[in-house]
Amino acid sequence: MDIKAILMGLAFAFMWSSAFTSARVIVEYAPPLSALALRFLISGLIGVAIAWALGQSARLTRQQWIGVVVFGICQNALYLGLNFVAMQTIPASLAAIIASTMPLLVAVAGWLVFGTQVRPLGIAGLVAGFIGVALIMGARIEGGVDLYGLILCVIGVFSLTAATLAVLGASSGGNVLMIVGLQMLVGSAVLWVPALAFETFVVTWNWQLIVAFIYTTLVPGLAATLVWFLLVGRIGAVKASTFHFLNPFLGVAIAAVLLGERVSALDVLGVAIIAGGILAVQITKQPTPK
């Protein structure tokens, strides 16, 4: 892994983790699904326009189109839609912690569904990761966290897992920025249906909402997704996923600094255990040196 890949991975981890804090600000002042659908519409149009300007084509392979649709529905519409609704009632740090378990769920899916061999260190990492989640969620439930929001985040992370399993097919074959833009437009189209059906478009306009919306549209929305696709194309999905072990730390830290969310000692312990579990799982996926 070269220095460029490392910098790309660190940038992705920070942008991905910061999305929970900016989303928490947005849903405080605007209807969540409408705001997210608008964000994806803008991000998608920008991405497609830039891709066309760079000479990229929307003529994708069948595998790429399947990846675009699955990624757009599972990550953008389901995962982020559920998280935006959930963060009306739960802290951004908790949503980030739950979402950060995605690499563990991907490893479990590979093990149980696809028959992927998992070495003892990987099994220990899976066990440790889920113990860390249980510690944090148990403490939060005892502290009175909103169970409805918690359940939405859990469903969302399973959707994110499905999207991650589809990303390799979507990113192969070039036209990366076009693919990023198209999968955002897919997410926007799906989200407008429940947004128009169930939400009233009432917005409290202020600078916090405007800054958070612009940031989440351009940085976690467009830039982070593009960096992730490029990183997967550069070093492969397995090595790229190693950077996810930073997400629990960064997600909690950013929410604490910018939103003033309380972080308990048990949260810190749980986050450290989850991060260690993710790292252990990813290490076992690396090819064994000959």
Side-chain angles (χ1 to χ4, degrees):
M1 189 182 302
D2 57 24
I3 186 65
K4 185 175 180 179
I6 293 173
L7 292 176
M8 290 170 64
L10 293 175
F12 165 77
F14 179 84
M15 291 187 288
W16 192 90
S17 301
S18 70
F20 298 94
T21 295
S22 59
R24 184 70 180 84
V25 174
I26 290 171
V27 301
E28 188 173 346
Y29 303 112
L33 297 181
S34 298
L36 188 59
L38 181 59
R39 164 196 154 177
F40 281 131
L41 178 61
I42 296 172
S43 296
L45 292 175
I46 292 173
V48 169
I50 296 174
W52 263 327
L54 294 175
Q56 295 187 17
S57 172
R59 294 181 179 179
L60 308 181
T61 66
R62 181 175 180 273
Q63 184 183 26
Q64 286 177 320
W65 274 117
I66 292 174
V68 164
V69 173
V70 172
F71 201 77
I73 293 174
C74 290
Q75 171 169 295
N76 295 342
L78 291 176
Y79 159 65
L80 284 171
L82 291 169
N83 269 268
F84 264 56
V85 173
M87 278 190 283
Q88 292 178 300
T89 57
I90 69 169
S93 57
L94 181 57
I97 290 168
I98 295 172
S100 70
T101 63
M102 179 272 293
L104 302 176
L105 295 176
V106 169
V108 170
W111 184 19
L112 298 180
V113 179
F114 301 108
T116 305
Q117 294 296 317
V118 181
R119 300 203 294 267
L121 178 60
I123 294 175
L126 289 174
V127 173
F130 289 117
I131 287 175
V133 173
L135 283 173
I136 294 171
M137 292 179 66
R140 295 296 182 101
I141 290 172
E142 286 185 5
V145 72
D146 179 62
L147 291 180
Y148 175 68
L150 185 64
I151 291 170
L152 290 182
C153 284
V154 171
I155 297 173
V157 76
F158 279 98
S159 299
L160 178 62
T161 301
T164 301
L165 293 173
V167 68
L168 194 55
S171 60
S172 60
N175 294 324
V176 175
L177 187 55
M178 179 64 72
I179 289 170
V180 170
L182 290 174
Q183 54 94 358
M184 288 179 176
L185 293 179
V186 169
S188 177
V190 173
L191 284 165
W192 278 121
V193 177
L196 295 174
F198 301 114
E199 291 184 341
T200 302
F201 196 75
V202 177
V203 179
T204 302
W205 293 102
N206 53 45
W207 71 267
Q208 292 97 327
L209 173 62
I210 294 171
V211 170
F213 186 82
I214 293 173
Y215 176 82
T216 198
T217 299
L218 298 179
V219 181
L222 188 59
T225 307
L226 176 60
V227 169
W228 173 250
F229 274 78
L230 293 174
L231 185 63
V232 169
R234 187 178 184 85
I235 63 175
V238 172
K239 289 183 179 179
S241 295
T242 305
F243 290 97
H244 278 290
F245 91 94
L246 295 169
N247 291 331
F249 288 111
L250 292 174
V252 170
I254 293 170
V257 171
L258 297 182
L259 300 179
E261 291 187 0
R262 186 183 65 86
V263 179
S264 68
L266 195 58
D267 287 334
V268 175
L269 176 61
V271 163
I273 294 173
I274 294 170
I278 294 171
L279 185 59
V281 168
Q282 296 305 324
I283 288 174
T284 62
K285 289 183 179 180
Q286 306 301 323
T288 304
K290 294 181 180 180

